Amino acid sequence: MEFMTDPMGIETRSMEIIAPYLKNLNLNEEAIKVYSRMIHAAGDVEYSSVIRIHPQAIEMAKNALKKGCNIYTDVEMVRTGINKKKLASFGGMVECLIASPEVAKTAKTEGITRSMAAMRQFGEKLDGAIVAIGNAPTALYEVLHLMETTSIRPAVIIGIPVGFVGAAESKEQLMKRSLVPYITVAGTKGGSPIAVSVVNAIMYILDNKR
């Protein structure tokens, strides 16, 4: 059995396969790159119909990265997947508090999820930063709550929790209530690899323009 072994060749061919699913969506060049990376990460061309990108989201994320913003995540899988070397080249770092003993204590005391407690602990650090959520709907709800009750305004929210309990609803609320630009996926699809793909795609777009 013959199969491709060249990494660049595999990636190029993957993008060629994805391209026809995007041609009728009226996307600009940068949106095409983000869509393509998301679809590639999922291995699912059906994503082309459920990805939702706020008109200002990519530009806001690029501007924040150029200023050296940090990225705050809900789970270690997102933190691990983000290209930290490239992020550091812009002056930023990525942080996740899900394993923090203090967060665990707060979650238990207040009867909330650790993801919610982590977002509360980040607090004002989220202002001007990129929030990347790939797993927990409750984390997304907490960020929306923080924006509505404080002056905290992330530069952009990449909110792509996955699953059958609360995920679709949290993303719907993101699109309805967010006070800042967002990138999300309607419905139950999503997950950490998809959130990671968005962050890395935007960094690559920016890196290629330096």
Side-chain angles (χ1 to χ4, degrees):
M1 178 179 177
E2 295 185 1
F3 54 90
M4 297 182 70
T5 59
D6 172 40
M8 289 302 298
I10 293 170
E11 181 172 316
T12 299
R13 180 57 184 144
S14 295
M15 296 304 159
E16 290 173 350
I17 291 170
I18 292 167
Y21 294 92
L22 306 181
K23 66 179 182 179
N24 295 323
L25 297 181
N26 194 32
L27 303 173
N28 63 33
E29 182 180 348
E30 292 184 346
I32 287 172
K33 289 180 179 178
V34 175
Y35 266 68
S36 297
R37 292 294 173 183
M38 294 172 75
I39 293 169
H40 186 253
D44 184 357
V45 295
E46 290 184 4
Y47 266 74
S48 62
S49 65
V50 294
I51 293 170
R52 303 287 185 265
I53 299 181
H54 185 282
Q56 298 176 346
I58 296 175
E59 193 64 28
M60 290 294 288
K62 286 163 50 184
N63 289 340
L65 287 166
K66 285 190 287 187
K67 294 177 182 177
C69 81
N70 290 338
I71 299 175
Y72 297 97
T73 77
D74 62 329
V75 289
E76 282 293 328
M77 283 186 66
V78 177
R79 189 194 67 79
T80 299
I82 290 172
N83 188 326
K84 286 169 283 295
K85 183 177 181 180
K86 190 172 294 292
L87 179 59
S89 75
F90 298 116
M93 59 175 288
V94 58
E95 188 173 354
C96 177
L97 290 176
I98 196 70
S100 163
E102 184 176 347
V103 164
K105 181 179 179 180
T106 298
K108 184 175 182 180
T109 300
E110 299 186 15
I112 59 176
T113 68
R114 285 187 296 165
S115 297
M116 291 177 72
M119 293 300 150
R120 289 184 189 179
Q121 185 161 322
F122 285 138
E124 292 184 358
K125 289 183 179 181
L126 301 179
D127 195 53
I130 293 175
V131 177
I133 295 172
N135 183 73
T138 56
L140 187 50
Y141 278 122
E142 184 62 24
V143 174
L144 292 173
H145 176 72
L146 286 170
M147 287 195 295
E148 291 172 344
T149 57
T150 72
S151 61
I152 293 169
R153 299 290 184 271
V156 64
I157 298 172
I158 299 167
I160 315 181
V162 61
F164 299 103
V165 180
E169 293 83 357
S170 69
K171 291 179 285 185
E172 183 177 350
Q173 289 302 306
L174 172 65
M175 291 184 277
K176 287 182 178 179
R177 295 164 49 191
S178 181
L179 300 174
V180 301
Y182 56 81
I183 297 175
T184 191
V185 173
T188 58
K189 293 178 183 290
S192 297
I194 314 305
V196 167
S197 73
V198 174
V199 175
N200 288 339
I202 295 173
M203 288 198 294
Y204 293 145
I205 289 170
L206 192 56
D207 198 42
N208 288 335
K209 293 187 175 182
R210 289 198 291 186

